[in-house]
Amino acid sequence: MSNRERPLRAVFVTYSFAPSAGQSAIIGVLKRFLRLVRYLPPEAVEVHWLHGGYLPEHDPMVREWLPRLNRYAPSGECLNAPGAWLRPRLGRLRWRVGKAWHPPGRSEKPRLTRLFSKLRPDLVVLMESPLAGFLLEASEVAQELGLPQVAMDNYMEPGHPDELIRGSPQIERWFLLGLPYRGERGWQGERILLAPPLLAPSPGPASERADVTILGYDPKVGEDGVTLAGLLPAGTVARLLGPPLPEEVRERYRRQAGGARLLFAPMPDEADYRASLEGSSLVVCKNGFQQIVECLAVGTPVIVSEGSGVPGCFLSEEILRFTRYLPPDQGLWDDAVGLARGWMSERPAMPWTSALAGIPDMARHSAGLFLEFLERSAAEPLTARGRTA
């Protein structure tokens, strides 16, 4: 615990995208913020939350934390009264290479400048690399006001931290979530801290074991997962996690699954989510980096239905050994189906599982590291020594 006389004041900047045709909402940045903030002691960190874009009102974690945090719109308006839902203020947003962009000529910088000047935080915490859009504007305002900035992102592969430092030199330190590919964990010099995925401890085995778990929050993943299950040996048990489906859709999925037995389950809470991953021979999910590494962290290989996430070419060789992307053409699925059959017959050994097995509550462990990361960044700002641009 820090020896500060008052809590560290931090502004956390997040964004998310509303569902589009055939796609689920893009809320990974928002969810990892909420997974971390639940462990931050209020006597240690005073949390101010600045969010741009869509808020998934149906998500249990979002509903729990909305009334408990000091929350602001990009306009600077305080929205922390219960039931005051944020509506998008950035105009029409689009998705490009996994980052947020907004239309030319529209800027929230004047409002952000007023808000940051009023709050005068000890740190501005960007929950993803500020490459464009709302996150970039928040970073530029922080830099103009001389406010120290830190950021979170995915730990894609061992060379990734150097790329982040070169690409965003205004960021003092980086907190990266991912796998210890070669045993690397914790502080990597002054500027990088590596932590495991934000997985809660498992309460025990899933209520019913499945050979295949399909993270069907995205409709395309649900379709592809059910189709894949129908190509696996007769008697395969497939669990489809996702929102409620009309009976006619369930019946169509049952026919599509062929000889596989298909179970329908609601979106799980954090603990049941991990139990589902651990209790499966393989998982079908979208190409969200955190979904992939959460599966691999518990030793479960992954079949990926590609959507608006991370292309396979961005992943490390270590990840790709246990991950296979489904080609758009179902006629080219033979390789993925063969791998899935092999993984069902023998679970592959992964190099990081023994190290992570010693951390039963990865979410709490990583949150403890995150608190240390914030306190060190506030106590030892690198900008004071001329280390950042």
Side-chain angles (χ1 to χ4, degrees):
M1 184 63 65
S2 169
N3 292 322
R4 297 174 60 87
E5 295 181 357
R6 61 169 178 80
L8 171 69
R9 179 177 298 151
V11 174
F12 293 79
V13 186
T14 64
Y15 72 91
S16 58
F17 282 78
S20 57
Q23 299 287 334
S24 62
I26 300 170
I27 61 173
V29 170
L30 172 61
K31 288 297 287 284
R32 69 184 177 203
F33 161 67
L34 294 175
R35 282 175 166 179
L36 283 172
V37 77
R38 66 194 305 173
Y39 295 105
L40 295 181
E43 66 273 14
V45 183
E46 179 185 303
V47 175
H48 296 267
W49 171 27
L50 177 61
H51 180 76
Y54 165 74
L55 269 178
E57 303 179 16
H58 63 279
D59 187 276
M61 192 178 298
V62 173
R63 292 193 71 89
E64 176 188 355
W65 284 96
L66 278 176
R68 299 170 63 176
L69 297 173
N70 298 305
R71 183 167 57 95
Y72 306 86
S75 64
E77 179 187 1
C78 185
L79 297 163
N80 58 337
W85 298 100
L86 171 62
R87 303 303 177 192
R89 300 296 297 270
L90 294 179
R92 186 174 179 81
L93 298 170
R94 65 190 177 93
W95 190 251
R96 179 179 177 184
V97 197
K99 303 297 173 185
W101 294 66
H102 55 72
R106 179 64 180 269
S107 173
E108 298 290 348
K109 288 181 69 174
R111 296 183 177 93
L112 292 174
T113 298
R114 288 195 292 272
L115 177 62
F116 285 5
S117 298
K118 177 182 176 182
L119 292 176
R120 296 307 300 181
D122 300 296
L123 290 173
V124 173
V125 186
L126 306 168
M127 298 303 290
E128 190 178 64
S129 301
L131 297 187
F134 180 46
L135 287 173
L136 178 59
E137 289 199 336
S139 177
E140 290 173 344
V141 169
Q143 189 170 15
E144 290 165 5
L145 295 176
L147 300 173
Q149 303 175 62
V150 296
M152 287 193 65
D153 214 303
N154 302 317
Y155 180 45
M156 307 290 286
E157 49 88 21
H160 191 214
D162 290 339
E163 296 175 8
L164 292 172
I165 291 171
R166 287 195 301 269
S168 300
Q170 76 277 18
I171 303 300
E172 297 204 342
R173 291 184 172 93
W174 293 86
F175 186 85
L176 305 182
L177 293 169
L179 300 168
Y181 303 111
R182 300 165 193 172
E184 65 275 30
R185 283 169 54 189
W187 284 101
Q188 311 291 301
E190 278 193 309
R191 303 186 64 178
I192 303 294
L193 196 155
L194 305 181
L198 300 172
L199 280 172
S202 174
S207 56
E208 188 169 3
R209 180 175 172 79
D211 300 300
V212 180
T213 288
I214 305 163
L215 303 183
Y217 320 140
D218 184 312
K220 183 176 184 300
V221 177
E223 290 277 351
D224 285 349
V226 171
T227 300
L228 177 71
L231 299 173
L232 297 175
T236 293
V237 178
R239 180 193 296 112
L240 174 61
L241 301 178
L245 297 171
E247 184 54 38
E248 59 269 24
V249 175
R250 290 186 174 215
E251 185 55 37
R252 176 169 64 82
Y253 277 178
R254 291 187 188 102
R255 293 194 302 269
Q256 201 169 314
R261 179 183 170 217
L262 188 57
L263 309 175
F264 297 92
M267 297 173 70
D269 64 19
E270 295 291 289
D272 289 337
Y273 170 66
R274 176 166 179 168
S276 295
L277 302 186
E278 290 178 329
S280 304
S281 297
L282 64 100
V283 171
V284 180
C285 67
K286 70 177 290 183
N287 56 333
F289 182 79
Q290 288 302 322
Q291 281 192 13
I292 292 172
V293 298
E294 284 160 6
C295 297
L296 300 184
V298 297
T300 305
V302 180
I303 299 291
V304 175
S305 172
E306 191 159 5
S308 50
V310 178
C313 60
F314 285 15
L315 300 181
S316 68
E317 292 181 8
E318 291 90 342
I319 287 182
L320 291 174
R321 287 175 56 199
F322 310 105
T323 303
R324 185 54 47 96
Y325 278 54
L326 291 172
D329 182 353
Q330 189 180 325
L332 301 176
W333 282 19
D334 288 355
D335 181 53
V337 172
L339 267 178
R341 287 171 175 259
W343 288 336
M344 285 172 57
S345 127
E346 183 177 359
R347 193 183 185 96
M350 302 184 192
W352 44 76
T353 50
S354 58
L356 294 177
I359 312 173
D361 191 340
M362 295 186 208
R364 186 177 293 277
H365 173 82
S366 292
L369 292 175
F370 186 60
L371 178 57
E372 176 187 329
F373 172 84
L374 295 178
E375 291 180 336
R376 178 171 174 179
S377 298
E380 303 174 14
L382 299 176
T383 48
R385 290 178 263 148
R387 289 291 305 277
T388 60

